[in-house]
Amino acid sequence: MKPNIPISRREFFKQLGKIGFGIATLPPAVVSLLEFHQSIRAEDKKFIEALYYEKLGGGKIKCTLCPNFHIYKPGDVSFCFNRLNQNGIWVSSAYNNPCTINIDPIEKGPFNHFLPGTNALSIGVGGCNLRCLYCQNWQVAMQKPERVAICNFTKDDCADALLKKECRTICYTYTEPAMYPEYLKEVAGFTRKKGVYNVVCTAGFVNPEPLKDICKVIDAFAVTLKAFNDKFYQKICGQTLGPVLKSLEVIKNQKKHLEIINLIVPSYNDDLEIIKQMCQWVKKTLGQDVVLHFGRFYPEYKLKSLPPTPAKTIELARQIGLDTGLKYVYTFNLAPHEGNYTFCPSCKEPVIKRLGFKVLENNLPEGICKFCGYKIPGVWK
Amino acid sequence: MRKILLISGCVSVLLISLVFSYAGEQCCPEKKEANEASIKHKKPFAIIEDKIEELFEEITLLNLINGLNLTEEQIKQIIQYNNEVQLLREQIEEVNNKTIQKVIDAFSKLKSALEKNEGIPKDIERYAAMMDQENKEIKEGMMNSVAAIEKELTTILLEGQIEVINTFEPCLIPPKNLKDPVRAGQAQDSEQGLNLLRRVRKIPQEIFDQDKYEIVERHLEMVQKHTGKLTNEERKTEAERLLKVMEQARAMSDKEFELNGPDLARQFMTESKKTCKKDKELREELERIHQTRRGGPTRIGRYLLNPRILPILGKRLEMMKNPKTSEPKDLDKAQPK
């Protein structure tokens, strides 16, 4: 039997220090272990080499996909979560790894001038290069694709699903499709040859070159112009306004169908004067035929304490858009509402009546107003 | 459980009262007076029940109004049409007051004759039938006038608003499609039942074979909380259907399930609701028949020409005139993470 030796004060503090050190080093150890596990998983997933990057010395790379031009050392994961540096090779973890596959009405994009009343195969992949405090898809947008992926979904699977679900369109949405150009281009290029339309919902924070490449396989864009205010972009979305405006111009110059989305967050971007400036810029730079949507904010993510946007604010914004001379200004996340309808700019008749995403009546066969014959821009057949 | 019982109780009470009492009661001032008189003799519990019913109706109307996004102009017009209907009711009540005494007189004579059981004198029989017809015509006249106003009212509404009214169900808590509708670009459209099917897919076959009937049984119990007890036949059909959906979900590959899961979840939940809302469907059918036969108000009239909606719309108009303005937030204090 061991004698009961009392521990000295020095020994006691020594032991206490060891325990403290152990506790302090535990979290980094767990993190390293998780990362190691993840890197094994990453290799299992057969990620492909990413596009748009430059190799720097010492295994470092510079990502040229988005205007952040971040530099990453081996083992780093990109700010958008979609890419990682595997020993000096920049790989995409988004490839074939969607986190959401749904059959949605195309109006949910929102697209109001694109095959109204049809369904789209909507695909989302984890990750995003913005950090919007009111993100409604934060559960997947703030995650690495491989962590939230639901299945291995290849271009062939997409084509198969389109056929089974009788969809004519694939919509890349929910998160930031511009951050997975490898997957997007492959699926869109493949399905396009089969007569399928491909559309993208994006925040537009991407460099012009990758965007131009994306434009080659995409038929329409819904771009979220979050505010016409750089401070809002910096403080609420974690990025800047300039590149988004540039993207809008690129899409316009590439002659792609474009719909702009502006979600009005009460107290943050509901200044009607700034909304007016935005409408004027849209008209001057992109033309009065560009579709503009004003949407109602619902409390989400880190802005849960805010109330939903008052209907009146959305109505006023829409009116400003129309008064500015834009021909097609809509409201979304606010239904039933007159702003859900498409009105003919010539005879003022409602040519498409909607209840939210549902088309109730379509008097616009092939984009021609049934009442006066006016041609409305969009993709209609 | 108590909440569900309370809600379903209130729904039944409201629907029945809406269908049978609304037009009739408005047309019969004597009935109204009788009601008022009876209140004095009512027991406190009955008074409380009436108050609850009244509150429930007002809450229902508020939920509907909140879901319609009416414009200021539309509200003003609805108030105008509603006032017209109230005026019309008053006028008809005046006429009816005169007739009603004659009806009571005629029916009392007929009752006496029947009590004697010596055959009904022709003049009494004719007089009773005539007064009955006159009474009905007054009511029908009222219905037709209200229907004409309702037709005009319908023209100021958007098709979307009409659809919302036609599919609206009286409720305490607004349904998800009104309270928190699916938004543009939103990934998570949490289809009811989808999570349950996801869990069912993960159960190992051996355990599923053991537990599947229990899963079905639990689901049926949940359903019965809403509907009341199902018949044996209903339970059998429903159990077979649920088992089939679960087997289908389990047999699917991950890809297939992602594509078809929401449809299956809809089948799992909605079809159940269909089976279980049989009495509700019957009530709706009855409502439609009643409306066609008597030419009474449709849903639009019943809600928007209901006198109880007037103070609600008045307040809403006030709110629109003095909207709450939000203070601009200091963007410097908002920090992205």
Side-chain angles (χ1 to χ4, degrees):
Chain A
M1 199 174 160
K2 265 188 173 181
N4 191 10
I5 305 163
I7 189 166
S8 71
R9 185 177 291 187
R10 182 182 293 266
E11 193 59 27
F12 172 75
F13 282 115
K14 228 173 166 179
Q15 293 298 332
L16 198 66
K18 279 180 188 171
I19 293 167
F21 179 76
I23 290 170
T25 52
L26 193 62
V30 170
V31 169
S32 313
L33 199 68
L34 281 174
E35 274 173 6
F36 174 68
H37 174 68
Q38 232 176 306
S39 67
I40 294 170
R41 277 187 67 186
E43 276 165 23
D44 285 349
K45 286 269 180 185
K46 289 178 191 153
F47 297 160
I48 62 156
E49 185 172 0
L51 300 166
Y52 313 110
Y53 76 102
E54 288 168 18
K55 285 184 180 176
L56 308 172
K60 287 183 180 175
I61 67 97
K62 181 161 99 174
C63 183
T64 56
L65 179 59
C66 90
N68 285 328
F69 292 108
H70 283 151
I71 292 171
Y72 298 97
K73 59 182 190 307
D76 281 352
V77 174
S78 67
F79 180 74
C80 64
F81 303 110
N82 279 233
R83 316 169 130 221
L84 67 144
N85 187 338
Q86 276 186 347
N87 307 318
I89 305 290
W90 198 222
V91 297
S92 166
S93 56
Y95 185 72
N96 287 353
N97 272 340
C99 61
T100 316
I101 309 165
N102 280 332
I103 307 297
D104 284 337
I106 190 82
E107 284 77 9
K108 197 179 162 189
F111 282 101
N112 277 2
H113 287 217
F114 197 96
L115 303 181
T118 62
N119 279 336
L121 176 72
S122 300
I123 296 176
V125 176
C128 181
N129 62 338
L130 274 80
R131 293 291 181 270
C132 303
L133 299 183
Y134 55 92
C135 180
Q136 61 177 353
N137 295 325
W138 60 271
Q139 296 93 334
V140 285
M142 306 297 162
Q143 285 285 354
K144 294 174 191 171
E146 67 272 26
R147 275 204 182 166
V148 285
I150 43 170
C151 58
N152 186 51
F153 206 67
T154 64
K155 58 181 198 256
D156 292 309
D157 294 323
C158 277
D160 194 35
L162 285 161
L163 206 66
K164 280 183 186 159
K165 291 287 170 184
E166 295 176 348
C167 295
R168 292 173 60 193
T169 314
I170 302 181
C171 183
Y172 307 87
T173 180
Y174 308 132
T175 54
E176 182 45 74
M179 293 303 103
Y180 51 88
E182 304 81 12
Y183 183 40
L184 187 148
K185 281 163 70 177
E186 184 177 287
V187 174
F190 179 70
T191 53
R192 220 163 178 246
K193 286 178 196 155
K194 296 176 184 287
V196 173
Y197 285 115
N198 284 265
V199 299
V200 159
C201 301
T202 172
F205 193 76
V206 59
N207 282 327
E209 285 318 308
L211 182 58
K212 279 178 197 166
D213 286 348
I214 290 172
C215 280
K216 287 175 191 163
V217 289
I218 295 298
D219 300 286
F221 288 82
V223 179
T224 316
L225 179 53
K226 297 184 185 278
F228 202 62
N229 176 351
D230 194 49
K231 206 169 188 183
F232 180 92
Y233 261 93
Q234 286 180 38
K235 296 291 179 180
I236 305 294
C237 308
Q239 294 297 4
T240 52
L241 169 66
V244 180
L245 298 182
K246 180 74 193 155
S247 292
L248 288 168
E249 289 181 54
V250 168
I251 293 166
K252 175 75 185 165
N253 292 337
Q254 296 290 312
K255 296 188 171 42
K256 295 292 166 182
H257 175 69
L258 171 64
E259 305 203 10
I260 299 173
I261 303 149
N262 178 238
L263 189 86
I264 302 182
V265 185
S267 311
Y268 282 107
N269 66 349
D270 58 353
D271 185 327
L272 297 177
E273 191 45 49
I274 296 179
I275 288 173
K276 191 177 173 184
Q277 287 169 21
M278 180 179 80
C279 294
Q280 286 167 342
W281 181 88
V282 169
K283 189 190 167 194
K284 193 180 159 201
T285 319
L286 309 170
Q288 55 182 3
D289 276 344
V290 164
V291 177
L292 178 60
H293 302 258
F294 286 109
R296 182 182 220 179
F297 157 90
Y298 278 85
E300 268 294 352
Y301 194 35
K302 292 178 181 175
L303 294 187
K304 277 226 180 238
S305 57
L306 288 182
T309 319
K312 188 81 187 163
T313 310
I314 312 285
E315 283 164 2
L316 287 171
R318 178 170 175 259
Q319 197 52 51
I320 287 171
L322 294 169
D323 291 345
T324 306
L326 295 171
K327 288 182 184 171
Y328 311 101
V329 190
Y330 295 93
T331 58
F332 67 96
N333 295 350
L334 180 66
H337 198 271
E338 195 186 61
N340 302 159
Y341 287 17
T342 300
F343 288 92
C344 171
S346 172
C347 65
K348 313 290 178 209
E349 286 292 326
V351 280
I352 301 179
K353 293 177 181 175
R354 297 183 185 85
L355 172 61
F357 311 137
K358 187 176 166 190
V359 172
L360 300 173
E361 198 180 312
N362 189 344
N363 290 310
L364 198 65
E366 301 185 7
I368 309 287
C369 172
K370 206 168 131 184
F371 307 104
C372 72
Y374 186 86
K375 195 173 185 315
I376 293 176
V379 178
W380 308 103
K381 59 176 180 176
Chain B
M1 178 68 184
R2 284 178 67 188
K3 200 175 163 188
I4 292 162
L5 282 173
L6 179 71
I7 294 170
S8 54
C10 290
V11 170
S12 336
V13 168
L14 181 78
L15 272 171
I16 292 164
S17 66
L18 276 173
V19 174
F20 295 109
S21 314
Y22 176 71
E25 203 171 294
Q26 296 306 320
C27 288
C28 304
E30 80 283 1
K31 200 173 171 187
K32 223 176 174 181
E33 278 165 26
N35 278 346
E36 278 163 18
S38 75
I39 287 172
K40 289 177 190 169
H41 304 290
K42 270 188 178 173
K43 287 178 181 169
F45 181 70
I47 296 169
I48 290 168
E49 271 197 330
D50 284 353
K51 183 69 193 161
I52 290 174
E53 190 189 323
E54 188 184 320
L55 275 170
F56 182 80
E57 195 178 342
E58 283 167 355
I59 290 168
T60 288
L61 290 169
L62 274 166
N63 281 330
L64 177 66
I65 293 298
N66 288 344
L68 283 179
N69 297 317
L70 294 165
T71 63
E72 207 173 317
E73 194 49 41
Q74 282 179 319
I75 293 180
K76 281 181 191 164
Q77 283 176 298
I78 294 169
I79 291 176
Q80 195 186 321
Y81 285 124
N82 197 314
N83 282 331
E84 270 179 49
V85 170
Q86 304 321 320
L87 194 72
L88 192 74
R89 275 176 192 147
E90 281 169 23
Q91 286 167 356
I92 288 173
E93 272 170 19
E94 261 179 49
V95 178
N96 207 17
N97 274 342
K98 289 170 197 163
T99 317
I100 206 75
Q101 204 45 52
K102 290 182 193 170
V103 176
I104 292 170
D105 185 40
F107 284 12
S108 302
K109 280 179 183 165
L110 181 66
K111 189 185 159 194
S112 305
L114 287 167
E115 275 170 351
K116 284 177 195 165
N117 199 17
E118 291 169 355
I120 310 164
K122 281 282 168 209
D123 57 333
I124 291 179
E125 195 182 86
R126 217 175 294 130
Y127 187 53
M130 198 174 77
M131 290 324 298
D132 185 36
Q133 185 59 26
E134 204 172 312
N135 194 30
K136 276 180 188 162
E137 277 170 13
I138 289 173
K139 280 183 186 171
E140 272 171 25
M142 163 79 184
M143 299 276 200
N144 290 339
S145 309
V146 173
I149 294 174
E150 190 191 296
K151 209 173 168 185
E152 277 184 52
L153 167 65
T154 309
T155 61
I156 67 155
L157 298 172
L158 295 170
E159 276 75 359
Q161 288 169 325
I162 294 170
E163 172 132 344
V164 169
I165 296 172
N166 284 338
T167 52
F168 179 76
E169 287 172 22
C171 54
L172 271 184
I173 311 298
K176 195 185 173 296
N177 63 338
L178 290 184
K179 187 172 63 176
D180 184 19
V182 179
R183 287 161 254 156
Q186 192 181 23
Q188 306 278 345
D189 176 11
S190 53
E191 193 67 60
Q192 252 188 325
L194 193 58
N195 283 339
L196 187 139
L197 288 183
R198 277 191 209 282
R199 287 202 300 274
V200 163
R201 276 167 57 79
K202 284 181 188 162
I203 304 173
Q205 189 61 43
E206 216 172 282
I207 299 172
F208 179 73
D209 288 339
Q210 253 176 40
D211 293 352
K212 60 186 176 187
Y213 297 107
E214 201 188 322
I215 299 170
V216 168
E217 205 52 41
R218 277 189 195 174
H219 183 74
L220 287 177
E221 270 170 34
M222 195 183 74
V223 165
Q224 287 190 126
K225 281 180 187 173
H226 292 276
T227 57
K229 206 171 174 187
L230 297 173
T231 63
N232 284 343
E233 201 180 319
E234 280 173 331
R235 281 182 75 89
K236 197 182 159 205
T237 319
E238 192 56 13
E240 277 170 9
R241 198 184 61 76
L242 293 172
L243 275 175
K244 202 176 152 193
V245 173
M246 287 198 297
E247 300 280 7
Q248 266 181 293
R250 285 176 61 82
M252 283 178 178
S253 69
D254 286 352
K255 286 171 199 173
E256 280 174 334
F257 185 74
E258 287 311 319
L259 280 170
N260 301 302
D263 283 344
L264 276 185
R266 256 190 296 275
Q267 277 181 41
F268 198 82
M269 302 303 287
T270 327
E271 294 290 322
S272 265
K273 279 181 190 164
K274 269 188 196 165
T275 318
C276 307
K277 280 192 177 174
K278 271 187 174 164
D279 42 338
K280 187 183 153 251
E281 279 173 1
L282 283 172
R283 275 201 298 272
E284 279 181 359
E285 185 63 28
L286 200 64
E287 187 186 323
R288 275 197 297 276
I289 294 169
H290 185 263
Q291 195 261 323
T292 314
R293 291 197 179 150
R294 308 269 178 223
T298 63
R299 278 167 166 262
I300 296 171
R302 279 211 328 271
Y303 289 123
L304 301 185
L305 297 176
N306 184 330
R308 280 194 179 141
I309 210 169
L310 277 171
I312 294 171
L313 292 178
K315 272 187 198 166
R316 196 46 58 101
L317 211 54
E318 275 303 305
M319 278 163 68
M320 281 179 153
K321 281 176 188 160
N322 309 302
K324 268 189 196 170
T325 48
S326 54
E327 285 295 308
K329 296 258 186 205
D330 185 0
L331 281 169
D332 286 322
K333 285 181 185 165
Q335 287 299 327
K337 290 186 182 176

